[in-house]
Amino acid sequence: MNERLLAWFQAHPNEFVSGEEISRELNISRTAVWKHINRLRAKGFEFEAVPKLGYRLLQQPTRLDEISLLTQLKTQTLGRQIRIVGRTESTQNEALKWAENGAREGALVIAEEQTGGRGRRGRIWHSPPGKGIWMSMVLTPRIPLHFTPHLTLLTAVAICRAIKRIVPVPVGIKWPNDLLIHERKVCGILLESQAEDERLVRVIAGIGISVNLDEQDYPDSLRHIATSLKREYGQEIDRATLLAEICLELEQLYKLYEEQGFGPIRTLWEAQSVTIGREVSVATPYGDVTGTAQGLDESGALVLLGQDGQYRKVFSGDVHFTSEGTTF
């Protein structure tokens, strides 16, 4: 029925169509019309509703296209194998299955919508259709297993730099893997690794970027703590252009890391950080650790200076800011 309703609106471009007319033509109730309109809204279609005039289709969701994306890619390896799916539970699951069946390094799974996108610590990542970049990439780094956290930090740097090239917004990195704009989350990163006999076999790098979400696209629980590039910039962003830039930046930093190690990546991360210099409280498995964030150590741990003058390293945990930071 959604398809029939959509076809009706497409046959009446830029026109208001009354609910009564739709009800009569499609032989459904006015309540059913309203329900189907809302289902289309949930899929990214935008409608204007005016009493006594009816509904008008304002905008249809743009869909990513494999061919157009490949023409924009400037990479040699990353993203050269692409699968674009309409709806999936998680691109992490899709990428892992593909990797286990022979996908090469750089293989990329992109979804228009995720129903169970995963964040850190089992959190759900809100991934509505046609509004964001929900993707997972297969990586096979030749590094020791305990260096895996480097890749999370590297990925954050690559995305931050790519966004700034495409969209003039003050985005920065919150340790270890969140990107914020004006203290609100715009991007999350989740790296899941597989190892055999203490040897790193592969990493599935999951990336979720809220690109073109509007305020009404968020549930109430996220509306004031999350944001999108469109909300901050005021204009819709071409997802394919941004995605291609992310792949290029990620490939360049990945190569730099292979050639020169973590040192240059650490410097770049610290330059993009919204964590350094701020007083933070980090919820770790062993309790809360507080102090002023100083930077990263060679492992990627966050170094804190406590009020007692002692330096402490935090290897994992959730950071909460307890002081105001510098505005980018």
Side-chain angles (χ1 to χ4, degrees):
M1 180 58 68
N2 284 348
E3 290 77 9
R4 291 177 61 198
L5 180 60
L6 182 58
W8 179 260
F9 278 104
Q10 290 171 336
H12 299 79
N14 302 315
E15 296 180 15
F16 281 100
V17 183
S18 71
E20 181 180 354
E21 185 178 359
I22 298 172
S23 172
R24 183 175 60 253
E25 290 294 329
L26 300 184
N27 195 28
I28 58 177
S29 68
R30 294 282 296 274
T31 301
V33 171
W34 178 78
K35 288 181 179 179
H36 286 299
I37 291 284
N38 284 338
R39 286 172 187 163
L40 287 171
R41 281 175 170 152
K43 293 180 179 293
F45 293 86
E46 294 184 16
F47 291 89
E48 180 182 9
V50 176
K52 297 183 180 180
L53 291 178
Y55 303 95
R56 179 170 62 171
L57 178 62
L58 296 178
Q59 187 171 325
Q60 302 184 53
T62 58
R63 296 191 176 276
L64 291 168
D65 174 78
E66 181 177 337
I67 295 176
S68 63
L69 181 55
L70 285 171
T71 59
Q72 293 193 58
L73 280 176
K74 300 175 183 177
T75 57
Q76 295 179 344
T77 303
L78 302 190
R80 287 298 166 182
Q81 277 186 300
I82 298 178
R83 286 183 179 176
I84 299 177
V85 297
R87 191 169 190 256
T88 185
E89 180 183 12
S90 167
T91 58
Q92 289 291 91
N93 298 343
E94 298 279 349
L96 178 58
K97 292 177 184 176
W98 194 10
E100 291 174 340
N101 284 284
R104 301 190 302 271
E105 180 167 56
L108 181 60
V109 176
I110 306 165
E112 289 290 352
E113 177 185 8
Q114 290 184 120
T115 59
R118 295 198 297 276
R120 291 176 67 240
R121 303 180 184 276
R123 300 185 181 99
I124 298 298
W125 184 262
H126 183 57
S127 315
K131 296 281 188 171
I133 293 176
W134 327 123
M135 73 183 205
S136 295
M137 181 176 287
V138 178
L139 299 174
T140 55
R142 293 165 290 280
I143 59 173
L145 181 60
H146 62 276
F147 282 175
T148 307
H150 289 171
L151 299 178
T152 297
L153 301 166
L154 184 157
T155 303
V157 173
I159 298 170
C160 190
R161 286 162 60 92
I163 288 176
K164 286 183 175 180
R165 285 203 178 95
I166 301 298
V167 193
V169 291
V171 60
I173 308 170
K174 176 185 174 185
W175 186 87
N177 64 340
D178 291 340
L179 269 61
L180 308 182
I181 302 176
H182 299 133
E183 305 288 285
R184 296 195 293 182
K185 188 170 179 178
V186 72
C187 170
I189 300 163
L190 175 66
L191 267 66
E192 296 178 316
S193 58
Q194 289 186 306
E196 294 178 0
D197 300 324
E198 297 300 314
R199 181 180 63 86
L200 185 62
V201 176
R202 68 175 63 91
V203 172
I204 308 297
I207 297 168
I209 306 173
S210 299
V211 181
N212 290 321
L213 280 75
D214 295 302
E215 185 173 353
Q216 64 268 21
D217 293 317
Y218 293 93
D220 291 340
S221 60
L222 297 178
R223 196 162 291 165
H224 301 295
I225 61 175
T227 190
S228 73
L229 298 178
K230 180 183 177 183
R231 289 178 74 185
E232 299 297 332
Y233 183 47
Q235 297 180 28
E236 188 161 312
I237 311 302
D238 186 274
R239 291 184 296 155
T241 300
L242 178 58
L243 205 156
E245 191 67 30
I246 289 170
C247 288
L248 178 61
E249 188 68 34
L250 186 56
E251 182 169 276
Q252 291 173 342
L253 293 185
Y254 193 47
K255 183 178 181 181
L256 177 66
Y257 177 65
E258 289 182 327
E259 293 174 349
Q260 299 184 33
F262 183 57
I265 304 302
R266 176 170 59 180
T267 300
L268 291 170
W269 188 95
E270 291 177 343
Q272 305 290 338
S273 172
V274 296
T275 307
I276 294 175
R278 298 182 67 170
E279 293 180 13
V280 301
S281 174
V282 187
T284 78
Y286 310 102
D288 291 351
V289 181
T290 61
T292 303
Q294 303 296 300
L296 304 177
D297 77 351
E298 64 278 358
S299 72
L302 183 65
V303 180
L304 302 181
L305 175 61
Q307 291 185 348
D308 57 3
Q310 298 296 311
Y311 289 94
R312 295 175 176 84
K313 295 180 180 181
V314 179
F315 294 91
S316 65
D318 288 335
V319 169
H320 301 280
F321 296 135
T322 58
S323 68
E324 294 297 324
T326 301
T327 301
F328 276 62

